[in-house]
Amino acid sequence: MCMKFEELKKLKSGTDIRGVAVGGDLPVNLTDEAVGLIVKAFIKWLSLKTGKSRFKIAIGNDSRISADRIVKRATAAINSSGCDALYTGLSSTPSMFILLKRAGWGVDASVMVTASHMPYDRNGLKFFTPDGGLDGKDVEEILHIAANGEFLSGKGKYEEKSFMDEYSRILVETVESACGKLPLKGKKIIVDAGNGAGGFFAEKVLTPLGADVDGSQFLEPDGRFPNHIPNPEDKVAIESISAAVLREKADLGIIFDTDVDRAACVDCDGGEINRNALIALVAAILLKDKPGTIVTDSVTSDGLAEFIESLGGKHLRFKRGYKNVIDKCKELNESGEYSPLAIETSGHAAFKDNYYLDDGAYLITQILISLALQAREGKSLTSLISGLKRPVEENEVRITFNNNSFDFKSEGAAVIDALKIIAAKDENMILSPVNFEGVRINFKDGAGGWLLVRMSVHDPVMPINFESNYVGGNKIMATKLLKILAAYNFLELKNLKNFTL
């Protein structure tokens, strides 16, 4: 059987495949049929790219309750395409790429079954080749092949072998090579895995490094995520790890998302090291040895830009989307401009010296190295970012398009263009001279800050980010923006109105 391209394309989410995998309020669209077609199409796509017809494909999964069903269907698709399947079991997304770089495994490509931080009823597929993760164009090509229905055929072998022990040893060796054996002895470090795939980090990385991990929480995989959403940006999740650090009198708290491609920290006082603070910390670690350009997404703060510049670095505020910042970082390095890091405020962090892979566990190893080295000098980890200026207010408001909308992408672009014209004529507004996404407007009057209006990459949503150095400044900017946007009857402004109240 075949599915139409239009139906399959609904499962495309940026560079991934994502859909509803468990029945409930929404109908299942990540069906066995869809999974089988897409995995077969991935193998056919590999064949067209490489000229080969037989591959060894690794497949792993996070803790979601639909993982077994999807893995079985994907494995069957691999074998019926005449390829060998290596099932790695519970895995992190970054490990599925690192596996391709390790001698002795003989794997040509990999598939990760995950939907990152999305609700328990969702799942998806993420594809890797030795060159890295696929981009959106690659995924669209695969969906066209899936709709066409012409695949490879044959009979392949199946085996099971976990890579997580070896992957963990790589992380341990990364820290030991910089700090020596047992560099975390005497440190109490709490891990919150949110019942995702990150529980390995406590036993297999921190304990061999000498850390006391007693009090770590939600390490057991549970695909219903009963304690909190495994998302470092989620307020409840951060409050939970913060409370655990204070309760256990820990030196550091670590929190991962479901598939461990993102992470954040909490300091010994329970203070969040996330978003701008996390970027600042990693920038301070990297820039102490060599000046370079830190590439971030578009919603980072002015204080962060000043902080990076104070370290002798450059800050390039680029587009939202981890693949966007990673590709920009690669582009800079290829052109001769040193850029050691691409990082989003969401916690996606890709290091030049780690294959430009967004790996939450590798991010944390860099922070652990710094924690150990700072302790030897009698300094705290957070002393590295003591010079970071924090805004008084940070908010995001998301507005949508109502029933009067006929083409949200063109309508959203028209709104952004109009805002640029209005801001250029208003003496209290200053357009940001360097901006790659939407419109970023600085305010000279009592607001004391900036706002950024942009389009969501895929959805009929316009996120608006505000930052101010004064209490109430964000509401001042929001009120002015609301008056401007009221002229567009295709916008649903309820959230913005409520924010101004």
Side-chain angles (χ1 to χ4, degrees):
M1 293 181 65
C2 289
M3 297 172 64
K4 293 182 178 180
F5 173 75
E6 292 74 17
E7 188 177 2
L8 289 164
K9 192 174 181 181
K10 293 177 182 177
L11 296 170
K12 181 177 179 289
S13 177
T15 59
D16 300 351
I17 296 296
R18 289 184 185 174
V20 180
V22 177
D25 295 336
L26 296 172
V28 171
N29 60 357
L30 192 63
T31 61
D32 285 357
E33 180 185 8
V35 171
L37 289 172
I38 293 169
V39 172
K40 288 180 182 180
F42 172 55
I43 293 169
K44 179 63 178 291
W45 179 86
L46 282 173
S47 180
L48 293 171
K49 295 291 182 182
T50 64
K52 296 171 57 179
S53 61
R54 188 173 182 89
F55 304 95
K56 185 175 182 180
I57 310 292
I59 182 166
N61 57 268
D62 67 21
S63 61
R64 293 171 183 278
I65 61 174
S66 56
D68 285 348
R69 173 181 71 83
I70 294 173
V71 166
K72 286 177 182 177
R73 189 65 194 92
T75 301
I78 293 168
N79 287 157
S80 67
S81 295
C83 298
D84 298 333
L86 171 65
Y87 177 49
T88 60
L90 186 71
S91 304
S92 73
T93 291
S95 75
M96 297 304 293
F97 171 72
I98 297 297
L99 169 63
L100 304 180
K101 296 293 187 179
R102 300 294 287 181
W105 288 80
V107 176
D108 300 291
S110 60
V111 182
M112 177 66 180
V113 179
T114 183
S116 188
H117 63 279
M118 295 184 76
Y120 82 94
D121 63 336
R122 313 301 169 89
N123 217 328
L125 304 168
K126 189 173 183 68
F127 303 101
F128 292 101
T129 72
D131 293 329
L134 304 193
D135 61 25
K137 180 183 176 183
D138 297 329
V139 173
E140 191 150 331
E141 289 176 0
I142 289 168
L143 295 180
H144 276 294
I145 295 170
N148 187 47
E150 294 183 4
F151 310 118
L152 304 183
S153 62
K155 187 175 181 181
K157 299 176 182 178
Y158 174 83
E159 64 175 309
E160 297 182 4
K161 185 179 180 181
S162 175
F163 177 63
M164 291 306 292
D165 284 348
E166 183 171 333
Y167 173 70
S168 298
R169 286 196 296 272
I170 295 169
L171 298 174
V172 170
E173 289 166 4
T174 298
V175 179
E176 289 179 338
S177 66
C179 306
K181 296 289 185 179
L182 301 177
L184 301 179
K185 189 173 182 179
K187 295 290 184 185
K188 191 175 187 66
I189 301 178
I190 301 296
V191 175
D192 184 328
N195 302 111
F200 76 94
F201 200 85
E203 176 189 352
K204 295 183 178 182
V205 179
L206 290 174
T207 298
L209 292 171
D212 174 1
V213 298
D214 287 347
S216 291
Q217 59 186 21
F218 317 138
L219 304 183
E220 290 299 317
D222 186 335
R224 291 190 179 273
F225 312 128
N227 294 290
H228 61 67
I229 297 171
N231 182 359
E233 288 191 288
D234 182 70
K235 181 180 178 182
V236 173
I238 287 294
E239 288 175 348
S240 181
I241 181 65
S242 178
V245 166
L246 294 174
R247 181 179 64 247
E248 300 293 332
K249 296 181 175 58
D251 297 286
L252 185 70
I254 299 164
I255 184 167
F256 295 112
D257 73 341
T258 319
D259 61 327
V260 202
D261 61 359
R262 293 189 295 132
C265 297
V266 170
D267 65 24
C268 60
D269 297 320
E272 180 180 350
I273 307 176
N274 207 358
R275 297 178 64 80
N276 289 295
L278 180 64
I279 298 172
L281 178 60
V282 184
I285 292 169
L286 294 174
L287 296 177
K288 72 179 186 301
D289 296 324
K290 182 178 179 180
T293 299
I294 306 297
V295 183
T296 74
D297 57 356
S298 59
V299 300
T300 47
S301 71
D302 289 341
L304 175 65
E306 292 176 14
F307 180 76
I308 291 172
E309 290 167 5
S310 74
L311 299 173
K314 291 171 61 179
H315 177 213
L316 176 57
R317 190 184 280 126
F318 199 54
K319 300 175 183 177
R320 290 278 280 182
Y322 68 91
K323 199 73 167 63
N324 288 328
V325 295
I326 289 172
D327 287 347
K328 191 64 178 179
C329 184
K330 287 181 179 179
E331 177 188 317
L332 292 177
N333 283 299
E334 288 168 0
S335 70
E337 180 176 347
Y338 175 64
S339 177
L341 177 70
I343 184 168
E344 278 199 302
T345 48
S346 65
H348 279 288
F351 293 74
K352 178 181 181 292
D353 67 1
N354 191 45
Y355 308 105
Y356 298 101
L357 175 67
D358 50 319
D359 185 344
Y362 186 84
L363 165 67
I364 295 300
T365 64
Q366 301 306 301
I367 292 173
L368 293 176
I369 290 169
S370 186
L371 175 71
L373 296 179
Q374 287 289 103
R376 289 177 186 176
E377 298 179 9
K379 299 176 182 178
S380 68
L381 182 67
T382 51
S383 67
L384 289 170
I385 54 173
S386 59
L388 175 66
K389 295 179 183 177
R390 318 275 182 130
V392 173
E393 295 183 336
E394 292 179 276
N395 296 100
E396 180 175 281
V397 178
R398 299 168 73 84
I399 62 175
T400 56
F401 292 73
N402 59 34
N403 293 334
N404 292 321
S405 173
F406 67 92
D407 180 358
F408 71 87
K409 289 186 178 180
S410 62
E411 290 166 344
V415 169
I416 288 170
D417 287 342
L419 286 171
K420 291 177 181 178
I421 294 171
I422 292 169
K425 295 178 179 178
D426 191 316
E427 63 180 13
N428 287 315
M429 298 182 184
I430 303 173
L431 285 170
S432 177
V434 180
N435 185 60
F436 294 93
E437 183 172 38
V439 54
R440 187 181 180 105
I441 304 172
N442 298 300
F443 285 74
K444 290 196 296 185
D445 55 9
W450 55 264
L451 63 80
L452 173 71
V453 182
R454 59 188 174 87
M455 280 297 300
S456 171
V457 177
H458 309 290
D459 302 318
V461 175
M462 293 186 78
I464 307 167
N465 292 87
F466 300 92
E467 179 182 299
S468 177
N469 294 317
Y470 303 107
V471 174
N474 285 351
K475 286 190 176 182
I476 292 173
M477 290 184 283
T479 300
K480 292 182 177 181
L481 181 63
L482 180 61
K483 291 178 181 178
I484 297 171
L485 297 184
Y488 299 93
N489 66 359
F490 51 77
L491 292 177
E492 173 52 67
L493 300 173
K494 178 182 177 181
N495 290 344
L496 188 60
K497 288 178 182 176
N498 290 341
F499 181 69
T500 63
L501 299 177

